[in-house]
Amino acid sequence: MHNNEILCRLLAAATLALGAAGAHAQGAAGSWFGGIGVTHIAPDVSSGNLSPPSAPGTQIDVDSDTQPTIFIGRMITDNWSVEVPIGLGFKQKIQGAGAIAGVGQIATVRTLPITVFAQYRFFEPTQRIRPYVMLGLTYTYNHDEQGSATLNAVNPINPPGGTQIDVENRFSLTPGLGVTAMINERWFVDAQYAKSFLKTKTTLNTGQTIEAKIDPNVFRLAVGMRF
């Protein structure tokens, strides 16, 4: 499924869930909100080439992953809010691409994106449905990297004990948009899309390196409450 199709479905789900609901005010300045949802991360990878010695054009791709997440936020004014998503992270499967396309999974890495969003919500707090735009600063913490037997097989200088990888932690900007719709005076549904402009560098224990733009698309559908 294409990313724009996923976004359309999230927005449609948020709207349809409220079809029979009456009008209810959203949070005003000073109020808190939070909730739980499902977050889907779909990397949009543009890979560089693995440094020699390697087959020319050796590149990577990164699979999508979906995990439950929670979030908490606060309305600073009637229109401005701050939100922090919270989760246990995602497991990213790294696939061979370019000259090694088709070899399969060459590594895995667990990623924990830590983001703080500033959001601007349109319309007044008395509106039942409020779209918003947002901009976040994300720190992506990578850990538990593991090279696979396939990586060992395709790497011409595979060392004793196997080829392992280390993915650098990086900061990135994350713009996005969303819509919040009230079910009643406290409960709401929220659909959100964001894109993080993330460039990484991976170093193998052989000294080889590869850089790639990961640029993940992030989709979230959640249920929350204000308090």
Side-chain angles (χ1 to χ4, degrees):
M1 184 182 296
H2 296 299
N3 292 332
N4 59 344
E5 293 178 14
I6 297 174
L7 177 59
C8 289
R9 292 191 179 189
L10 288 176
L11 295 175
T15 303
L16 291 175
L18 303 163
H24 296 283
Q26 296 200 22
S31 63
W32 290 82
F33 59 90
I36 185 170
V38 175
T39 299
H40 176 75
I41 289 187
D44 183 12
V45 180
S46 177
S47 175
N49 298 321
L50 182 65
S51 63
S54 62
T58 296
Q59 300 179 343
I60 62 168
D61 198 5
V62 182
D63 287 351
S64 302
D65 192 27
T66 303
Q67 296 292 336
T69 53
I70 63 175
F71 63 95
I72 188 167
R74 190 172 190 269
M75 297 298 302
I76 306 303
T77 70
D78 285 354
N79 295 97
W80 286 98
S81 59
V82 175
E83 180 182 311
V84 178
I86 303 169
L88 297 178
F90 299 84
K91 184 176 182 179
Q92 310 288 166
K93 296 179 180 179
I94 302 174
Q95 307 286 345
I100 58 170
V103 301
Q105 181 179 316
I106 58 174
T108 59
V109 56
R110 293 193 176 273
T111 63
L112 179 62
I114 304 167
T115 306
V116 178
F117 283 113
Q119 302 168 323
Y120 181 81
R121 298 175 182 269
F122 298 95
F123 310 139
E124 299 299 320
T126 53
Q127 297 295 311
R128 183 167 62 91
I129 297 177
R130 297 181 76 185
Y132 59 89
V133 293
M134 60 186 183
L135 179 63
L137 179 64
T138 300
Y139 179 72
T140 301
Y141 172 63
N142 301 293
H143 61 103
D144 290 350
E145 300 97 325
Q146 295 289 334
S148 71
T150 300
L151 178 59
N152 296 338
V154 299
N155 189 4
I157 54 170
N158 183 50
T163 302
Q164 294 300 325
I165 68 170
D166 179 72
V167 183
E168 287 188 358
N169 305 324
R170 291 284 181 92
F171 283 97
S172 59
L173 288 177
T174 308
L177 52 86
V179 59
T180 298
M182 299 302 296
I183 299 173
N184 56 37
E185 292 183 356
R186 296 190 65 183
W187 292 92
F188 62 85
V189 293
D190 183 88
Q192 187 181 97
Y193 165 75
K195 187 176 184 70
S196 191
F197 293 93
L198 173 64
K199 185 175 182 180
T200 66
K201 180 180 180 181
T202 299
T203 302
L204 280 59
N205 59 344
T206 58
Q208 297 159 285
T209 61
I210 185 170
E211 294 190 358
K213 293 181 179 179
I214 306 300
D215 294 352
N217 297 284
V218 184
F219 304 88
R220 189 190 74 195
L221 182 60
V223 176
M225 66 178 295
R226 63 182 183 88
F227 46 91

